[in-house]
Amino acid sequence: MSDFFKVLGTTILALGVVAGVVIAGQDSTYFVPPPEAVAESFTREIAARRYDRAIPFVDPASGITEINVRLGGGELHARAGQIDNVEGVPGVIRGEEATASAVLITEGAGRVQYFFRLARREYAWKIVEWSDR
Amino acid sequence: MDPLRIAARAAFAFIVLLVLVRVSGKRTVKQGSPFDFTVALILGDMFDDAVWAEVAMSQFVVATGVLVGVHVLMDYLRWRKGAFRT
């Protein structure tokens, strides 16, 4: 049973270190997913048609709803066909705001790029604006 | 992604996993059961998610801590009650 408490203690200690870095150290890219990783994860969920799993990456106050995401995803799949790869591209981080993009390599439309504006909400980057080209 | 960030995340996640596995009482592969191997695979997948920033480090720590903690509890119950075979 002592092993269990050692595991519990280690977990609490590690969480304390993470909280110290993120909250006290104002970290926004090391121990929290950076903007390009959020953009890539969001786009991967759309590419896999898992629209409900894309929504947690969006700021609830942004006005982007699951319906918007489904419509955007449906349009992408109709235009681009099979999606072979998704890669996040870093943008600019300025205080609590950031930009990033995600490049999709597709069968039908070639290279498609999604552009994102993100804001830091409760220590995590959330998408507040999304457009494609 | 910036290599420095990848290195920092990999180093921290490695240290957390190393300490968790050590304090859980497992020392060698020889001591392991097939289920230990399964847990090791799951931990490896979590490590991958943490290094590539697919999850926040706090989520990684909670997930690995709970997984290893439950695994240790199951071992304890198996030893104490003989009720579980992992």
Side-chain angles (χ1 to χ4, degrees):
Chain A
M1 200 61 187
S2 70
D3 288 342
F4 175 76
F5 288 107
K6 285 181 195 169
V7 169
L8 186 66
T10 303
T11 305
I12 291 169
L13 183 70
L15 271 179
V17 172
V18 173
V21 172
V22 174
I23 298 170
Q26 289 293 306
D27 167 53
S28 62
T29 53
Y30 281 82
F31 282 8
V32 295
E36 67 270 22
V38 173
E40 183 177 318
S41 298
F42 175 81
T43 309
R44 279 189 190 283
E45 300 299 355
I46 290 178
R49 299 176 198 266
R50 294 187 297 242
Y51 303 117
D52 56 322
R53 289 173 64 172
I55 286 300
F57 296 106
V58 175
D59 179 13
S62 68
I64 301 172
T65 64
E66 192 176 328
I67 294 171
N68 299 136
V69 175
R70 279 179 184 277
L71 288 172
E75 190 269 330
L76 169 75
H77 285 289
R79 179 165 52 110
Q82 187 184 319
I83 295 162
D84 296 325
N85 193 26
V86 177
E87 192 176 339
V89 180
V92 177
I93 299 176
R94 194 164 293 141
E96 300 287 293
E97 294 201 333
T99 59
S101 58
V103 175
L104 299 95
I105 306 300
T106 70
E107 200 178 59
R111 188 177 182 273
V112 176
Q113 195 160 10
Y114 277 176
F115 294 90
F116 299 94
R117 198 165 63 79
L118 302 98
R120 207 161 169 236
R121 303 276 187 253
E122 293 171 351
Y123 308 107
W125 291 106
K126 297 282 182 185
I127 292 164
V128 293
E129 207 177 305
W130 159 44
S131 62
D132 66 347
R133 187 194 294 165
Chain B
M1 200 183 300
D2 182 0
L4 192 62
R5 287 185 205 148
I6 296 171
R9 295 176 75 88
F12 184 78
F14 177 79
I15 291 167
V16 170
L17 268 188
L18 179 71
V19 175
L20 276 176
V21 171
R22 288 285 176 186
V23 301
S24 71
K26 305 290 180 189
R27 293 292 184 271
T28 67
V29 173
K30 216 168 144 184
Q31 290 177 313
S33 67
F35 195 70
D36 291 328
F37 179 68
T38 307
V39 170
L41 288 179
I42 299 169
L43 288 173
D45 186 50
M46 290 176 174
F47 185 85
D48 174 80
D49 290 344
V51 169
W52 298 110
E54 287 168 20
V55 296
M57 197 56 83
S58 56
Q59 292 171 317
F60 167 78
V61 170
V62 170
T64 51
V66 167
L67 184 67
V68 175
V70 169
H71 189 45
V72 167
L73 267 183
M74 296 291 271
D75 266 355
Y76 174 76
L77 287 173
R78 183 179 60 167
W79 169 75
R80 188 69 189 251
K81 309 275 186 192
F84 296 96
R85 279 181 173 271
T86 58

PDB file of all heavy atoms in Angstrom, chain A residues 2-4 6-7, chain B residues 18-29 31-32 36 68 71-72 75:
ATOM      1  N   SER A   2       2.073   1.170   0.593  1.00  0.00           N
ATOM      2  CA  SER A   2       2.936   2.365   0.634  1.00  0.00           C
ATOM      3  C   SER A   2       3.328   2.800  -0.783  1.00  0.00           C
ATOM      4  O   SER A   2       3.516   3.987  -1.045  1.00  0.00           O
ATOM      5  CB  SER A   2       4.183   2.106   1.466  1.00  0.00           C
ATOM      6  OG  SER A   2       5.015   1.201   0.795  1.00  0.00           O
ATOM      7  N   ASP A   3       3.428   1.819  -1.703  1.00  0.00           N
ATOM      8  CA  ASP A   3       3.749   2.154  -3.093  1.00  0.00           C
ATOM      9  C   ASP A   3       2.692   3.077  -3.691  1.00  0.00           C
ATOM     10  O   ASP A   3       3.008   4.001  -4.443  1.00  0.00           O
ATOM     11  CB  ASP A   3       3.852   0.878  -3.954  1.00  0.00           C
ATOM     12  CG  ASP A   3       5.101   0.079  -3.657  1.00  0.00           C
ATOM     13  OD1 ASP A   3       6.022   0.657  -3.059  1.00  0.00           O
ATOM     14  OD2 ASP A   3       5.143  -1.106  -4.006  1.00  0.00           O
ATOM     15  N   PHE A   4       1.416   2.809  -3.324  1.00  0.00           N
ATOM     16  CA  PHE A   4       0.325   3.641  -3.846  1.00  0.00           C
ATOM     17  C   PHE A   4       0.493   5.090  -3.393  1.00  0.00           C
ATOM     18  O   PHE A   4       0.333   6.025  -4.185  1.00  0.00           O
ATOM     19  CB  PHE A   4      -1.032   3.094  -3.386  1.00  0.00           C
ATOM     20  CG  PHE A   4      -2.184   3.975  -3.785  1.00  0.00           C
ATOM     21  CD1 PHE A   4      -2.645   4.000  -5.093  1.00  0.00           C
ATOM     22  CD2 PHE A   4      -2.789   4.812  -2.853  1.00  0.00           C
ATOM     23  CE1 PHE A   4      -3.689   4.831  -5.475  1.00  0.00           C
ATOM     24  CE2 PHE A   4      -3.833   5.645  -3.213  1.00  0.00           C
ATOM     25  CZ  PHE A   4      -4.293   5.658  -4.528  1.00  0.00           C
ATOM     26  N   LYS A   6       3.240   6.515  -2.527  1.00  0.00           N
ATOM     27  CA  LYS A   6       4.411   7.089  -3.216  1.00  0.00           C
ATOM     28  C   LYS A   6       4.009   7.585  -4.617  1.00  0.00           C
ATOM     29  O   LYS A   6       4.442   8.642  -5.067  1.00  0.00           O
ATOM     30  CB  LYS A   6       5.527   6.044  -3.331  1.00  0.00           C
ATOM     31  CG  LYS A   6       6.260   5.786  -2.037  1.00  0.00           C
ATOM     32  CD  LYS A   6       7.344   4.750  -2.303  1.00  0.00           C
ATOM     33  CE  LYS A   6       7.876   4.179  -1.009  1.00  0.00           C
ATOM     34  NZ  LYS A   6       8.723   2.998  -1.247  1.00  0.00           N
ATOM     35  N   VAL A   7       3.179   6.790  -5.304  1.00  0.00           N
ATOM     36  CA  VAL A   7       2.699   7.189  -6.637  1.00  0.00           C
ATOM     37  C   VAL A   7       1.855   8.454  -6.522  1.00  0.00           C
ATOM     38  O   VAL A   7       2.014   9.403  -7.304  1.00  0.00           O
ATOM     39  CB  VAL A   7       1.882   6.040  -7.292  1.00  0.00           C
ATOM     40  CG1 VAL A   7       1.167   6.525  -8.547  1.00  0.00           C
ATOM     41  CG2 VAL A   7       2.795   4.874  -7.632  1.00  0.00           C
TER      42      VAL A   7
ATOM     43  N   LEU B  18       9.717   7.911 -15.154  1.00  0.00           N
ATOM     44  CA  LEU B  18      10.775   7.150 -14.475  1.00  0.00           C
ATOM     45  C   LEU B  18      10.477   7.051 -12.978  1.00  0.00           C
ATOM     46  O   LEU B  18      10.505   5.958 -12.392  1.00  0.00           O
ATOM     47  CB  LEU B  18      12.128   7.830 -14.705  1.00  0.00           C
ATOM     48  CG  LEU B  18      13.333   7.162 -14.044  1.00  0.00           C
ATOM     49  CD1 LEU B  18      13.654   5.849 -14.754  1.00  0.00           C
ATOM     50  CD2 LEU B  18      14.550   8.086 -14.090  1.00  0.00           C
ATOM     51  N   VAL B  19      10.160   8.200 -12.358  1.00  0.00           N
ATOM     52  CA  VAL B  19       9.898   8.197 -10.911  1.00  0.00           C
ATOM     53  C   VAL B  19       8.644   7.379 -10.599  1.00  0.00           C
ATOM     54  O   VAL B  19       8.638   6.579  -9.657  1.00  0.00           O
ATOM     55  CB  VAL B  19       9.774   9.655 -10.388  1.00  0.00           C
ATOM     56  CG1 VAL B  19       9.388   9.661  -8.918  1.00  0.00           C
ATOM     57  CG2 VAL B  19      11.077  10.416 -10.593  1.00  0.00           C
ATOM     58  N   LEU B  20       7.583   7.558 -11.411  1.00  0.00           N
ATOM     59  CA  LEU B  20       6.337   6.817 -11.168  1.00  0.00           C
ATOM     60  C   LEU B  20       6.575   5.302 -11.234  1.00  0.00           C
ATOM     61  O   LEU B  20       6.107   4.554 -10.370  1.00  0.00           O
ATOM     62  CB  LEU B  20       5.271   7.206 -12.194  1.00  0.00           C
ATOM     63  CG  LEU B  20       4.454   8.467 -11.900  1.00  0.00           C
ATOM     64  CD1 LEU B  20       3.510   8.769 -13.059  1.00  0.00           C
ATOM     65  CD2 LEU B  20       3.649   8.327 -10.619  1.00  0.00           C
ATOM     66  N   VAL B  21       7.297   4.872 -12.257  1.00  0.00           N
ATOM     67  CA  VAL B  21       7.531   3.439 -12.412  1.00  0.00           C
ATOM     68  C   VAL B  21       8.406   2.916 -11.275  1.00  0.00           C
ATOM     69  O   VAL B  21       8.142   1.847 -10.712  1.00  0.00           O
ATOM     70  CB  VAL B  21       8.165   3.144 -13.799  1.00  0.00           C
ATOM     71  CG1 VAL B  21       8.624   1.693 -13.892  1.00  0.00           C
ATOM     72  CG2 VAL B  21       7.155   3.436 -14.895  1.00  0.00           C
ATOM     73  N   ARG B  22       9.410   3.692 -10.884  1.00  0.00           N
ATOM     74  CA  ARG B  22      10.296   3.268  -9.795  1.00  0.00           C
ATOM     75  C   ARG B  22       9.542   3.161  -8.477  1.00  0.00           C
ATOM     76  O   ARG B  22       9.666   2.168  -7.772  1.00  0.00           O
ATOM     77  CB  ARG B  22      11.469   4.249  -9.637  1.00  0.00           C
ATOM     78  CG  ARG B  22      12.473   4.164 -10.750  1.00  0.00           C
ATOM     79  CD  ARG B  22      13.325   2.927 -10.618  1.00  0.00           C
ATOM     80  NE  ARG B  22      14.240   2.792 -11.742  1.00  0.00           N
ATOM     81  CZ  ARG B  22      15.022   1.756 -11.959  1.00  0.00           C
ATOM     82  NH1 ARG B  22      14.995   0.737 -11.128  1.00  0.00           N
ATOM     83  NH2 ARG B  22      15.818   1.711 -12.982  1.00  0.00           N
ATOM     84  N   VAL B  23       8.761   4.205  -8.138  1.00  0.00           N
ATOM     85  CA  VAL B  23       8.083   4.182  -6.836  1.00  0.00           C
ATOM     86  C   VAL B  23       6.923   3.179  -6.824  1.00  0.00           C
ATOM     87  O   VAL B  23       6.457   2.800  -5.750  1.00  0.00           O
ATOM     88  CB  VAL B  23       7.567   5.576  -6.392  1.00  0.00           C
ATOM     89  CG1 VAL B  23       8.699   6.576  -6.292  1.00  0.00           C
ATOM     90  CG2 VAL B  23       6.461   6.087  -7.293  1.00  0.00           C
ATOM     91  N   SER B  24       6.476   2.755  -8.002  1.00  0.00           N
ATOM     92  CA  SER B  24       5.376   1.786  -8.024  1.00  0.00           C
ATOM     93  C   SER B  24       5.858   0.393  -7.640  1.00  0.00           C
ATOM     94  O   SER B  24       5.056  -0.514  -7.466  1.00  0.00           O
ATOM     95  CB  SER B  24       4.725   1.756  -9.408  1.00  0.00           C
ATOM     96  OG  SER B  24       5.597   1.155 -10.329  1.00  0.00           O
ATOM     97  N   GLY B  25       7.165   0.245  -7.518  1.00  0.00           N
ATOM     98  CA  GLY B  25       7.695  -1.020  -7.015  1.00  0.00           C
ATOM     99  C   GLY B  25       8.201  -1.965  -8.085  1.00  0.00           C
ATOM    100  O   GLY B  25       8.781  -2.994  -7.783  1.00  0.00           O
ATOM    101  N   LYS B  26       8.005  -1.612  -9.340  1.00  0.00           N
ATOM    102  CA  LYS B  26       8.492  -2.474 -10.417  1.00  0.00           C
ATOM    103  C   LYS B  26       9.953  -2.131 -10.677  1.00  0.00           C
ATOM    104  O   LYS B  26      10.296  -0.972 -10.900  1.00  0.00           O
ATOM    105  CB  LYS B  26       7.682  -2.262 -11.700  1.00  0.00           C
ATOM    106  CG  LYS B  26       6.191  -2.440 -11.523  1.00  0.00           C
ATOM    107  CD  LYS B  26       5.838  -3.885 -11.288  1.00  0.00           C
ATOM    108  CE  LYS B  26       4.334  -4.017 -11.116  1.00  0.00           C
ATOM    109  NZ  LYS B  26       3.938  -5.351 -10.686  1.00  0.00           N
ATOM    110  N   ARG B  27      10.777  -3.128 -10.663  1.00  0.00           N
ATOM    111  CA  ARG B  27      12.208  -2.876 -10.850  1.00  0.00           C
ATOM    112  C   ARG B  27      12.730  -3.441 -12.175  1.00  0.00           C
ATOM    113  O   ARG B  27      13.545  -2.840 -12.838  1.00  0.00           O
ATOM    114  CB  ARG B  27      13.010  -3.487  -9.696  1.00  0.00           C
ATOM    115  CG  ARG B  27      12.767  -2.806  -8.364  1.00  0.00           C
ATOM    116  CD  ARG B  27      13.328  -1.378  -8.370  1.00  0.00           C
ATOM    117  NE  ARG B  27      13.180  -0.751  -7.061  1.00  0.00           N
ATOM    118  CZ  ARG B  27      12.109  -0.074  -6.702  1.00  0.00           C
ATOM    119  NH1 ARG B  27      11.109   0.074  -7.533  1.00  0.00           N
ATOM    120  NH2 ARG B  27      12.024   0.479  -5.503  1.00  0.00           N
ATOM    121  N   THR B  28      12.273  -4.609 -12.519  1.00  0.00           N
ATOM    122  CA  THR B  28      12.811  -5.224 -13.738  1.00  0.00           C
ATOM    123  C   THR B  28      11.676  -5.761 -14.608  1.00  0.00           C
ATOM    124  O   THR B  28      10.572  -5.989 -14.137  1.00  0.00           O
ATOM    125  CB  THR B  28      13.745  -6.412 -13.412  1.00  0.00           C
ATOM    126  OG1 THR B  28      12.960  -7.452 -12.847  1.00  0.00           O
ATOM    127  CG2 THR B  28      14.839  -6.020 -12.448  1.00  0.00           C
ATOM    128  N   VAL B  29      11.990  -5.967 -15.855  1.00  0.00           N
ATOM    129  CA  VAL B  29      11.009  -6.537 -16.789  1.00  0.00           C
ATOM    130  C   VAL B  29      10.642  -7.954 -16.337  1.00  0.00           C
ATOM    131  O   VAL B  29       9.504  -8.407 -16.482  1.00  0.00           O
ATOM    132  CB  VAL B  29      11.598  -6.544 -18.218  1.00  0.00           C
ATOM    133  CG1 VAL B  29      10.686  -7.289 -19.183  1.00  0.00           C
ATOM    134  CG2 VAL B  29      11.828  -5.124 -18.690  1.00  0.00           C
ATOM    135  N   GLN B  31      10.073  -9.084 -13.480  1.00  0.00           N
ATOM    136  CA  GLN B  31       9.013  -9.109 -12.464  1.00  0.00           C
ATOM    137  C   GLN B  31       7.631  -8.903 -13.073  1.00  0.00           C
ATOM    138  O   GLN B  31       6.635  -9.049 -12.399  1.00  0.00           O
ATOM    139  CB  GLN B  31       9.243  -7.989 -11.441  1.00  0.00           C
ATOM    140  CG  GLN B  31      10.435  -8.190 -10.528  1.00  0.00           C
ATOM    141  CD  GLN B  31      10.608  -6.988  -9.618  1.00  0.00           C
ATOM    142  OE1 GLN B  31      10.560  -5.846 -10.054  1.00  0.00           O
ATOM    143  NE2 GLN B  31      10.795  -7.257  -8.345  1.00  0.00           N
ATOM    144  N   GLY B  32       7.586  -8.506 -14.333  1.00  0.00           N
ATOM    145  CA  GLY B  32       6.323  -8.063 -14.910  1.00  0.00           C
ATOM    146  C   GLY B  32       5.399  -9.179 -15.355  1.00  0.00           C
ATOM    147  O   GLY B  32       5.834 -10.266 -15.725  1.00  0.00           O
ATOM    148  N   ASP B  36       1.327  -5.858 -16.963  1.00  0.00           N
ATOM    149  CA  ASP B  36       2.351  -4.803 -16.819  1.00  0.00           C
ATOM    150  C   ASP B  36       2.807  -4.328 -18.189  1.00  0.00           C
ATOM    151  O   ASP B  36       3.033  -3.143 -18.421  1.00  0.00           O
ATOM    152  CB  ASP B  36       3.570  -5.335 -16.053  1.00  0.00           C
ATOM    153  CG  ASP B  36       3.252  -5.612 -14.591  1.00  0.00           C
ATOM    154  OD1 ASP B  36       2.414  -4.899 -14.027  1.00  0.00           O
ATOM    155  OD2 ASP B  36       3.830  -6.558 -14.037  1.00  0.00           O
ATOM    156  N   VAL B  68      -0.940   4.465 -13.191  1.00  0.00           N
ATOM    157  CA  VAL B  68       0.031   3.728 -12.366  1.00  0.00           C
ATOM    158  C   VAL B  68      -0.549   3.485 -10.969  1.00  0.00           C
ATOM    159  O   VAL B  68      -0.396   2.390 -10.399  1.00  0.00           O
ATOM    160  CB  VAL B  68       1.380   4.496 -12.291  1.00  0.00           C
ATOM    161  CG1 VAL B  68       2.343   3.805 -11.346  1.00  0.00           C
ATOM    162  CG2 VAL B  68       2.003   4.603 -13.677  1.00  0.00           C
ATOM    163  N   HIS B  71      -3.012   0.675 -11.120  1.00  0.00           N
ATOM    164  CA  HIS B  71      -2.262  -0.564 -11.348  1.00  0.00           C
ATOM    165  C   HIS B  71      -1.645  -1.071 -10.039  1.00  0.00           C
ATOM    166  O   HIS B  71      -1.714  -2.273  -9.732  1.00  0.00           O
ATOM    167  CB  HIS B  71      -1.190  -0.292 -12.404  1.00  0.00           C
ATOM    168  CG  HIS B  71      -0.499  -1.520 -12.892  1.00  0.00           C
ATOM    169  ND1 HIS B  71      -1.172  -2.682 -13.223  1.00  0.00           N
ATOM    170  CD2 HIS B  71       0.813  -1.785 -13.094  1.00  0.00           C
ATOM    171  CE1 HIS B  71      -0.300  -3.592 -13.612  1.00  0.00           C
ATOM    172  NE2 HIS B  71       0.907  -3.068 -13.539  1.00  0.00           N
ATOM    173  N   VAL B  72      -1.084  -0.148  -9.256  1.00  0.00           N
ATOM    174  CA  VAL B  72      -0.491  -0.522  -7.963  1.00  0.00           C
ATOM    175  C   VAL B  72      -1.590  -1.023  -7.009  1.00  0.00           C
ATOM    176  O   VAL B  72      -1.404  -2.013  -6.293  1.00  0.00           O
ATOM    177  CB  VAL B  72       0.265   0.692  -7.362  1.00  0.00           C
ATOM    178  CG1 VAL B  72       0.625   0.456  -5.909  1.00  0.00           C
ATOM    179  CG2 VAL B  72       1.521   0.980  -8.171  1.00  0.00           C
ATOM    180  N   ASP B  75      -2.539  -4.512  -7.909  1.00  0.00           N
ATOM    181  CA  ASP B  75      -1.495  -5.434  -7.435  1.00  0.00           C
ATOM    182  C   ASP B  75      -1.676  -5.719  -5.953  1.00  0.00           C
ATOM    183  O   ASP B  75      -1.548  -6.859  -5.495  1.00  0.00           O
ATOM    184  CB  ASP B  75      -0.115  -4.814  -7.682  1.00  0.00           C
ATOM    185  CG  ASP B  75       0.485  -5.257  -8.998  1.00  0.00           C
ATOM    186  OD1 ASP B  75      -0.129  -6.110  -9.664  1.00  0.00           O
ATOM    187  OD2 ASP B  75       1.551  -4.734  -9.361  1.00  0.00           O
TER     188      ASP B  75
END
